[in-house]
Amino acid sequence: MTKSFEQIDKVDLEVELVMTTLKQMFGYDFSGYNRAPLKSRLLSFCKEYQVDSVIDIVKPLLHSPSISKELISYLTVTVTEMFRDPVLYQFLREYLPEYYQTKPYVKIWHIGCSSGQEVISLSILLQELNLLGGSKRYATDLNPMALEKAKRSSYQLANLKLYIKNYLASGGSHEFSKYYVVENDSAVFLPQLVFDVKFAQHDIVAEPAFTGADIIFCRNVMMYFTPQQHLAVVNKLVAALPKGGLLCIGLQEYIPDEVKALRKLKHGVPIYERIA
Amino acid sequence: MSELPNTNKGLVVIGGSAGSTEEIYYLLKHLNGTLRKSIVIVVHGKPIYSIVTDCNWTISTNLNFVLIGQNQTIKPNTVYFAPDGYHTLVESQSMFCLSVAPLLHYCRPSIDLLFTSAAAVFKHKCTGIILSGANQDGCAGMQEILRQGGNTITLAATEASQPYMINVCIEHRAVSMVMSKAELANFLTGV
Ligand SMILES: C[S@@+](CC[C@H](N)C(=O)[O-])C[C@H]1O[C@@H](n2cnc3c(N)ncnc32)[C@H](O)[C@@H]1O
């Protein structure tokens, strides 16, 4: 059925045209993502790149595909920080030593690791608990540019103040500067912190989940999904976890009521155990 | 939290800078009765939900106070609070969504993002209110609400803790009404 001319929101339509192009030309499928954040990211993309309107992104996308990486980086929102939501890391600091005792080694999967701050945060925590040697980790993201940054583990010095504040709030008590060296205006974190990590491009919506992870981090990734997509991905993660496996999500994220197999471990901490 | 049929009579979006907690307290204290619309409050740099619910503010009201989480359902007769550290956007007439996109005008939550997305979804059923503000954030959102046919109100600059934003909105012709605190409380009770 066609809508009357006034009913059509032109910008919404333009957003869909960009999404269709991204899917058909590059295989990125945003159909299960909330529209409002995508639209606002596209509008700021236009502002930053001095493009008149959203529809004007389609043509360059069709003819010089190199801008697709830039655009994907914009749309996927890669903003992250170390020890984000310190309560989670504080909880893990107490919980993990006993958890590791039951296993020869623990496999951990960071989904949507972005530029890697979450991975390094866990490295530091595991190192301080003497558990890094007993860990095998995967860190994946949809966005290839973010993964490149993650592999370099090099972050602007200006951000360190926030990271250290979070680290201290999470119960860390070591001299933070022992974990990195300064190069120009960056803090480069030590390679031995991520020796166990395999980085790979992976789309948690479109591709099957890896199996065998004991702990999954999927934080501030599902936030962007529609309720239907969110439920589907949570179910996928539950199926990938063994009983007793852990799922860490973001502080403002939730587990849908329909999902009965997960139990929150502690009030106020975004971590769940698979119980069935 | 799947989408409900739309029973919503509209959305009132209220924005302010860190100094506006007093004004918000005044408004919430004077709100009574049942609202057909929903209200959402966004304040820069202060965990306004915990300030309202934890402290000894005596707010006796039959309204529900809710901190917005991922894919939060929008219901009438409810006052929603945007969480600190996230942008809150309006996804549909029955759902808010969150984003950790970069700061806008040095702020997250951003008043502009909330107001602009609210305007796109609720059109003439959207009312924007600016209580105070120390920077530009809010003006573009107010303009967008007006453009989509909604109403825009500011507190009288003389009563505001931070009048800068109010004056910017007025200069940009983004304001359809100016009200005193008392008028504003009265107005909100009727929505
Ligand atoms: C806001 S960052 C979160 C980073 C980190 N987990 C944290 O909480 O700070 C979201 C990340 O999820 C990634 N992402 C979005 N959709 C994805 C998908 N379908 N599969 C894998 N990663 C995805 C984005 O590329 C982005 O790097």
Coordinates of all heavy atoms in Angstrom, one line a residue, chain A residues 9 12 33-37 39-41 43-44 77 79 81 84-85 220 222-228 230 249-256 258, chain B residues 1-3 67-72 83-86 89-92 95-104 108 113 116-117 120 123 147-148:
Chain A
D9 N 8.3 10.0 5.7 CA 9.4 10.8 6.2 C 10.6 10.5 5.3 O 11.1 9.4 5.2 CB 9.7 10.3 7.6 CG 10.8 11.3 8.3 OD1 11.8 11.6 7.6 OD2 10.6 11.6 9.4
D12 N 13.9 9.2 6.7 CA 13.8 7.8 7.1 C 14.0 6.9 5.8 O 14.7 5.9 5.9 CB 12.5 7.4 7.7 CG 12.3 8.0 9.1 OD1 13.4 8.5 9.6 OD2 11.2 8.0 9.7
Y33 N 18.7 -3.5 13.7 CA 19.2 -2.4 14.5 C 18.1 -1.3 14.7 O 17.4 -1.0 13.7 CB 20.4 -1.8 14.0 CG 21.7 -2.6 14.1 CD1 21.7 -3.9 13.4 CD2 22.8 -2.2 14.8 CE1 22.9 -4.7 13.5 CE2 23.9 -3.0 14.9 CZ 23.9 -4.2 14.2 OH 25.1 -5.0 14.3
N34 N 18.0 -0.7 15.9 CA 17.1 0.4 16.1 C 17.4 1.5 15.1 O 18.6 1.8 14.8 CB 17.2 0.9 17.5 CG 16.6 0.0 18.5 OD1 15.6 -0.7 18.2 ND2 17.1 0.0 19.7
R35 N 16.4 2.2 14.6 CA 16.6 3.2 13.5 C 17.1 4.5 14.0 O 17.8 5.2 13.4 CB 15.3 3.4 12.8 CG 15.1 2.5 11.5 CD 15.9 1.3 11.5 NE 16.2 0.9 10.1 CZ 17.1 -0.1 9.8 NH1 17.7 -0.7 10.8 NH2 17.3 -0.4 8.6
A36 N 16.6 5.0 15.2 CA 16.9 6.3 15.7 C 18.4 6.6 15.8 O 18.9 7.6 15.3 CB 16.2 6.6 17.0
P37 N 19.2 5.6 16.4 CA 20.6 5.9 16.5 C 21.3 5.8 15.1 O 22.2 6.6 14.9 CB 21.1 4.7 17.4 CG 20.0 4.2 18.1 CD 18.8 4.4 17.2
K39 N 20.0 6.7 12.3 CA 19.7 8.0 11.6 C 20.5 9.1 12.1 O 21.1 9.9 11.4 CB 18.2 8.2 11.8 CG 17.7 9.5 11.1 CD 16.2 9.5 11.4 CE 15.5 10.9 11.1 NZ 14.1 10.9 11.4
S40 N 20.7 9.2 13.4 CA 21.4 10.3 14.0 C 22.9 10.1 13.7 O 23.6 11.2 13.4 CB 21.2 10.4 15.5 OG 22.2 9.8 16.3
R41 N 23.4 8.9 13.6 CA 24.8 8.7 13.2 C 25.0 9.1 11.7 O 26.0 9.8 11.3 CB 25.3 7.3 13.3 CG 25.4 6.8 14.8 CD 26.2 7.7 15.6 NE 27.7 7.5 15.4 CZ 28.6 8.5 15.6 NH1 28.2 9.7 16.1 NH2 29.8 8.3 15.4
L43 N 23.3 11.4 10.1 CA 23.2 12.8 10.0 C 24.5 13.5 10.5 O 25.0 14.4 9.9 CB 22.0 13.3 10.8 CG 20.6 13.0 10.2 CD1 19.5 13.4 11.2 CD2 20.4 13.7 8.9
S44 N 25.1 12.9 11.5 CA 26.4 13.5 11.9 C 27.5 13.2 10.9 O 28.4 13.9 10.7 CB 26.9 13.2 13.3 OG 26.3 12.1 13.9
V77 N 29.2 2.7 16.2 CA 29.5 3.3 17.5 C 30.6 2.5 18.2 O 30.3 1.6 18.9 CB 28.3 3.5 18.4 CG1 28.7 4.2 19.7 CG2 27.2 4.3 17.6
V79 N 32.7 3.8 20.5 CA 33.1 4.4 21.8 C 33.2 3.4 22.9 O 32.3 2.6 23.2 CB 32.1 5.5 22.2 CG1 32.5 6.1 23.5 CG2 32.0 6.6 21.1
E81 N 35.8 2.3 26.7 CA 36.8 2.8 27.7 C 37.2 1.6 28.5 O 36.6 0.5 28.4 CB 36.1 3.9 28.6 CG 35.0 3.4 29.4 CD 34.1 4.5 30.0 OE1 33.7 5.4 29.3 OE2 33.9 4.5 31.2
R84 N 35.1 -0.1 32.0 CA 33.8 0.5 31.9 C 32.8 -0.2 32.9 O 32.8 -1.5 32.9 CB 33.3 0.4 30.5 CG 31.9 1.0 30.2 CD 31.5 0.8 28.8 NE 31.1 2.0 28.1 CZ 31.0 2.1 26.8 NH1 31.3 1.2 26.0 NH2 30.6 3.3 26.3
D85 N 32.0 0.5 33.6 CA 31.2 -0.1 34.6 C 32.1 -0.9 35.7 O 32.1 -2.1 35.7 CB 30.1 -1.1 34.1 CG 29.3 -0.5 33.0 OD1 29.2 0.8 33.0 OD2 28.8 -1.2 32.1
N220 N 27.3 -3.5 25.6 CA 27.0 -2.3 24.8 C 27.1 -2.6 23.3 O 27.4 -1.7 22.5 CB 28.0 -1.2 25.2 CG 27.9 -0.9 26.7 OD1 26.9 -0.6 27.2 ND2 29.0 -1.1 27.4
M222 N 24.5 -5.2 22.1 CA 23.0 -5.5 21.9 C 22.1 -4.4 22.1 O 21.0 -4.4 21.7 CB 22.7 -6.7 22.8 CG 23.4 -8.0 22.5 SD 22.8 -9.4 23.3 CE 23.5 -9.3 24.9
M223 N 22.6 -3.4 22.8 CA 21.9 -2.1 23.0 C 21.3 -1.5 21.8 O 20.2 -0.9 21.8 CB 22.9 -1.1 23.6 CG 22.4 0.3 23.9 SD 23.7 1.3 24.4 CE 24.0 0.7 26.0
Y224 N 22.0 -1.8 20.6 CA 21.6 -1.2 19.4 C 20.5 -2.0 18.6 O 20.0 -1.6 17.6 CB 22.8 -0.9 18.5 CG 23.7 0.0 19.2 CD1 24.8 -0.4 19.9 CD2 23.4 1.4 19.2 CE1 25.6 0.5 20.6 CE2 24.2 2.3 19.8 CZ 25.3 1.8 20.6 OH 26.1 2.7 21.3
F225 N 20.2 -3.2 19.1 CA 19.3 -4.1 18.4 C 17.9 -3.8 18.7 O 17.5 -3.4 19.8 CB 19.6 -5.6 18.8 CG 21.0 -6.0 18.4 CD1 21.5 -7.2 19.0 CD2 21.8 -5.3 17.5 CE1 22.8 -7.6 18.7 CE2 23.1 -5.8 17.2 CZ 23.6 -6.9 17.8
T226 N 17.0 -4.1 17.8 CA 15.6 -4.1 18.0 C 15.3 -5.2 19.1 O 16.0 -6.1 19.2 CB 14.8 -4.4 16.8 OG1 15.1 -5.7 16.3 CG2 15.1 -3.4 15.6
P227 N 14.1 -5.1 19.7 CA 13.8 -6.1 20.7 C 13.8 -7.5 20.1 O 14.3 -8.5 20.8 CB 12.4 -5.8 21.2 CG 12.3 -4.3 21.0 CD 13.1 -4.0 19.8
Q228 N 13.4 -7.7 18.9 CA 13.4 -9.0 18.3 C 14.8 -9.5 18.0 O 15.1 -10.7 18.3 CB 12.6 -9.0 16.9 CG 11.1 -8.7 17.0 CD 10.9 -7.2 17.1 OE1 11.7 -6.4 17.5 NE2 9.7 -6.8 16.7
H230 N 17.5 -8.5 19.5 CA 18.1 -8.7 20.8 C 17.8 -10.1 21.4 O 18.7 -10.8 21.8 CB 17.6 -7.6 21.7 CG 18.1 -7.7 23.1 ND1 17.3 -7.4 24.2 CD2 19.3 -8.0 23.6 CE1 18.0 -7.6 25.3 NE2 19.2 -7.9 25.0
I249 N 27.0 -8.4 30.3 CA 26.4 -7.4 29.4 C 26.7 -6.0 29.9 O 27.4 -5.8 30.9 CB 24.9 -7.7 29.2 CG1 24.1 -7.6 30.5 CG2 24.7 -9.1 28.6 CD1 22.6 -7.7 30.3
G250 N 26.1 -5.0 29.3 CA 26.3 -3.6 29.7 C 25.3 -3.3 30.9 O 24.3 -3.9 31.1
L251 N 25.7 -2.2 31.6 CA 25.0 -1.8 32.8 C 23.5 -1.5 32.5 O 22.6 -1.7 33.3 CB 25.7 -0.7 33.5 CG 25.5 -0.5 35.0 CD1 25.8 -1.8 35.7 CD2 26.3 0.6 35.5
Q252 N 23.2 -0.8 31.4 CA 21.8 -0.4 31.1 C 21.2 -1.4 30.2 O 20.1 -1.2 29.7 CB 21.8 0.9 30.4 CG 22.3 2.1 31.3 CD 21.5 2.2 32.6 OE1 20.4 1.9 32.7 NE2 22.2 2.8 33.6
E253 N 21.8 -2.6 29.9 CA 21.2 -3.6 29.1 C 20.5 -4.6 29.9 O 20.6 -4.6 31.2 CB 22.3 -4.3 28.2 CG 22.9 -3.3 27.2 CD 24.1 -3.9 26.4 OE1 24.9 -4.7 27.0 OE2 24.1 -3.6 25.2
Y254 N 19.6 -5.4 29.3 CA 18.8 -6.4 30.1 C 18.7 -7.7 29.4 O 19.1 -7.8 28.2 CB 17.4 -5.8 30.3 CG 16.6 -5.8 29.1 CD1 15.5 -6.7 28.9 CD2 16.8 -4.9 28.1 CE1 14.8 -6.7 27.7 CE2 16.0 -4.9 26.9 CZ 15.0 -5.8 26.8 OH 14.2 -5.8 25.6
I255 N 18.3 -8.7 30.1 CA 18.0 -10.0 29.5 C 16.5 -10.2 29.4 O 15.8 -10.0 30.4 CB 18.6 -11.1 30.4 CG1 20.1 -11.0 30.5 CG2 18.2 -12.5 29.9 CD1 20.9 -11.2 29.1
P256 N 16.0 -10.4 28.2 CA 14.5 -10.5 28.1 C 13.9 -11.6 29.0 O 14.5 -12.6 29.3 CB 14.4 -10.9 26.6 CG 15.6 -10.6 25.9 CD 16.7 -10.7 26.9
E258 N 11.7 -13.7 28.5 CA 11.5 -15.0 27.8 C 12.7 -15.9 28.1 O 12.6 -17.1 28.0 CB 11.4 -14.8 26.3 CG 10.2 -14.1 25.8 CD 10.4 -12.6 25.7 OE1 11.2 -12.0 26.5 OE2 9.8 -12.0 24.7
Chain B
M1 N 10.7 -6.8 25.8 CA 9.9 -5.5 25.8 C 9.5 -5.3 24.3 O 10.1 -4.5 23.7 CB 10.7 -4.4 26.3 CG 11.1 -4.5 27.8 SD 11.9 -3.0 28.4 CE 12.8 -3.7 29.8
S2 N 8.5 -6.0 23.9 CA 8.1 -5.8 22.5 C 7.2 -4.6 22.4 O 6.7 -4.0 23.4 CB 7.4 -7.0 22.0 OG 6.4 -7.4 22.9
E3 N 6.9 -4.1 21.2 CA 6.2 -2.9 21.0 C 4.7 -3.1 21.3 O 4.1 -4.1 20.9 CB 6.3 -2.5 19.5 CG 7.8 -2.3 19.1 CD 8.0 -1.1 18.3 OE1 7.0 -0.4 17.9 OE2 9.2 -0.7 18.1
L67 N 14.0 4.9 35.4 CA 15.3 5.2 34.7 C 15.3 4.4 33.4 O 15.1 3.2 33.4 CB 16.4 4.7 35.6 CG 17.9 4.9 35.1 CD1 18.2 6.3 35.0 CD2 18.9 4.1 35.9
I68 N 15.6 5.1 32.3 CA 15.5 4.5 31.0 C 16.6 3.4 30.8 O 17.8 3.7 31.1 CB 15.6 5.5 29.9 CG1 14.3 6.4 30.0 CG2 15.7 4.9 28.5 CD1 14.4 7.6 29.1
G69 N 16.3 2.2 30.4 CA 17.2 1.2 30.1 C 17.1 0.9 28.6 O 16.4 1.5 27.9
Q70 N 17.9 -0.1 28.1 CA 17.9 -0.5 26.7 C 16.4 -0.8 26.3 O 15.7 -1.5 27.0 CB 18.7 -1.8 26.6 CG 18.7 -2.5 25.3 CD 19.3 -3.9 25.3 OE1 19.6 -4.4 26.4 NE2 19.4 -4.5 24.2
N71 N 16.1 -0.3 25.1 CA 14.7 -0.6 24.6 C 13.6 -0.4 25.5 O 12.8 -1.3 25.7 CB 14.7 -2.0 23.9 CG 15.6 -2.0 22.7 OD1 16.1 -1.0 22.2 ND2 15.8 -3.2 22.2
Q72 N 13.6 0.7 26.2 CA 12.6 0.9 27.3 C 11.2 1.3 26.7 O 11.1 2.2 25.8 CB 13.0 2.1 28.1 CG 12.1 2.5 29.3 CD 12.3 1.5 30.4 OE1 13.4 1.3 30.8 NE2 11.2 1.0 30.9
P83 N 19.5 8.0 31.5 CA 20.6 7.7 32.3 C 21.9 8.5 31.9 O 22.1 8.8 30.8 CB 20.8 6.2 32.0 CG 20.2 6.0 30.6 CD 19.1 7.0 30.5
D84 N 22.7 8.8 32.9 CA 23.9 9.5 32.8 C 24.9 8.6 32.0 O 25.0 7.4 32.2 CB 24.5 9.8 34.2 CG 25.5 10.9 34.1 OD1 25.5 11.7 33.1 OD2 26.4 11.0 35.0
G85 N 25.6 9.2 31.0 CA 26.6 8.5 30.3 C 26.1 7.9 29.0 O 26.9 7.3 28.2
Y86 N 24.8 7.9 28.7 CA 24.3 7.4 27.5 C 23.4 8.5 26.8 O 22.9 9.4 27.5 CB 23.3 6.2 27.8 CG 24.0 5.1 28.5 CD1 24.2 5.1 29.8 CD2 24.3 3.9 27.8 CE1 24.8 4.0 30.5 CE2 24.9 2.9 28.4 CZ 25.2 2.9 29.8 OH 25.7 1.9 30.4
L89 N 17.4 8.2 22.9 CA 16.7 8.6 21.7 C 15.3 8.0 21.7 O 15.1 7.0 22.4 CB 17.4 8.1 20.5 CG 18.8 8.8 20.2 CD1 19.9 8.0 20.7 CD2 19.0 9.0 18.7
V90 N 14.4 8.6 21.0 CA 13.0 8.0 20.8 C 13.0 7.2 19.5 O 13.3 7.7 18.5 CB 12.0 9.1 20.8 CG1 10.6 8.5 20.6 CG2 12.0 9.9 22.1
E91 N 12.8 5.9 19.7 CA 12.8 5.0 18.5 C 11.4 5.0 17.9 O 11.3 5.0 16.6 CB 13.2 3.6 19.0 CG 13.1 2.5 17.9 CD 14.1 2.7 16.8 OE1 15.1 3.4 16.9 OE2 13.9 2.0 15.7
S92 N 10.4 4.9 18.7 CA 9.0 4.8 18.1 C 8.1 5.4 19.2 O 8.6 5.7 20.3 CB 8.6 3.4 17.9 OG 8.5 2.7 19.1
M95 N 8.7 3.2 22.3 CA 10.0 2.8 22.8 C 11.1 3.8 22.7 O 11.3 4.5 21.7 CB 10.5 1.6 21.9 CG 11.6 0.7 22.6 SD 11.9 -0.7 21.6 CE 13.3 -0.1 20.6
F96 N 11.9 3.9 23.8 CA 13.1 4.7 23.8 C 14.3 3.7 23.5 O 14.2 2.5 23.7 CB 13.5 5.2 25.2 CG 12.5 6.2 25.8 CD1 11.7 6.0 26.9 CD2 12.5 7.5 25.2 CE1 10.9 6.9 27.4 CE2 11.6 8.5 25.7 CZ 10.8 8.2 26.8
C97 N 15.4 4.3 23.0 CA 16.6 3.4 22.9 C 17.8 4.2 23.3 O 17.7 5.4 23.5 CB 16.7 2.8 21.5 SG 17.0 4.1 20.2
L98 N 18.9 3.5 23.6 CA 20.1 4.2 24.2 C 21.2 4.0 23.2 O 21.2 3.1 22.3 CB 20.5 3.5 25.5 CG 19.5 3.5 26.6 CD1 20.1 2.8 27.8 CD2 19.3 5.0 27.0
S99 N 22.2 4.9 23.3 CA 23.4 4.8 22.5 C 24.6 5.4 23.3 O 24.4 6.3 24.0 CB 23.1 5.6 21.2 OG 24.4 6.0 20.6
V100 N 25.8 4.8 23.0 CA 26.9 5.5 23.6 C 27.8 6.2 22.6 O 29.0 6.3 22.7 CB 27.8 4.4 24.4 CG1 27.2 4.1 25.7 CG2 28.1 3.2 23.5
A101 N 27.1 6.7 21.6 CA 27.8 7.5 20.5 C 28.6 8.7 21.2 O 28.3 9.0 22.4 CB 26.8 8.1 19.6
P102 N 29.5 9.3 20.5 CA 30.4 10.3 21.1 C 29.6 11.5 21.7 O 28.4 11.7 21.4 CB 31.2 10.8 19.9 CG 31.2 9.7 19.0 CD 29.9 9.0 19.1
L103 N 30.2 12.2 22.6 CA 29.6 13.3 23.2 C 29.2 14.3 22.2 O 29.8 14.4 21.1 CB 30.6 14.1 24.2 CG 31.3 13.3 25.2 CD1 32.1 14.2 26.1 CD2 30.4 12.4 26.0
L104 N 28.1 15.1 22.4 CA 27.7 16.1 21.5 C 27.6 17.4 22.3 O 27.0 17.4 23.4 CB 26.3 15.8 21.0 CG 26.0 16.2 19.6 CD1 26.6 15.2 18.6 CD2 24.5 16.2 19.4
R108 N 26.9 14.0 27.1 CA 26.1 12.7 26.9 C 25.5 12.4 28.3 O 26.2 12.1 29.2 CB 27.1 11.6 26.5 CG 26.4 10.4 26.0 CD 27.3 9.3 25.5 NE 28.3 8.9 26.4 CZ 29.6 8.7 26.1 NH1 30.0 8.7 24.9 NH2 30.5 8.4 27.0
L113 N 19.9 15.4 20.8 CA 19.6 14.1 20.3 C 18.2 13.6 20.7 O 17.4 13.1 20.0 CB 20.6 13.1 20.6 CG 21.9 13.1 19.8 CD1 22.8 11.9 20.2 CD2 21.6 13.0 18.3
T116 N 15.4 15.9 19.1 CA 15.3 15.7 17.7 C 14.6 14.4 17.3 O 13.7 14.3 16.5 CB 16.7 15.8 17.0 OG1 17.3 17.0 17.4 CG2 16.6 15.7 15.5
S117 N 15.0 13.3 18.0 CA 14.4 12.0 17.7 C 13.0 12.0 18.2 O 12.1 11.4 17.6 CB 15.2 10.9 18.4 OG 15.3 11.0 19.8
A120 N 10.9 13.8 15.6 CA 10.7 13.0 14.4 C 9.6 11.9 14.6 O 8.8 11.6 13.6 CB 12.0 12.3 14.0
K123 N 6.0 14.2 16.3 CA 5.6 15.4 15.6 C 4.8 16.4 16.4 O 5.4 16.8 17.4 CB 4.6 14.9 14.4 CG 5.2 13.7 13.7 CD 5.9 14.1 12.4 CE 6.3 12.8 11.7 NZ 7.6 12.9 11.0
R147 N 9.7 22.7 14.1 CA 9.5 22.5 12.7 C 8.6 21.3 12.4 O 7.9 21.3 11.4 CB 10.9 22.1 12.1 CG 11.0 22.2 10.6 CD 12.4 21.8 10.1 NE 12.7 20.4 10.3 CZ 12.2 19.4 9.5 NH1 11.6 19.7 8.4 NH2 12.5 18.1 9.7
Q148 N 8.5 20.4 13.3 CA 7.6 19.2 13.2 C 6.2 19.5 13.7 O 5.4 18.6 13.8 CB 8.2 18.0 13.9 CG 9.6 17.5 13.3 CD 9.4 16.5 12.2 OE1 8.3 16.3 11.6 NE2 10.5 15.8 11.9

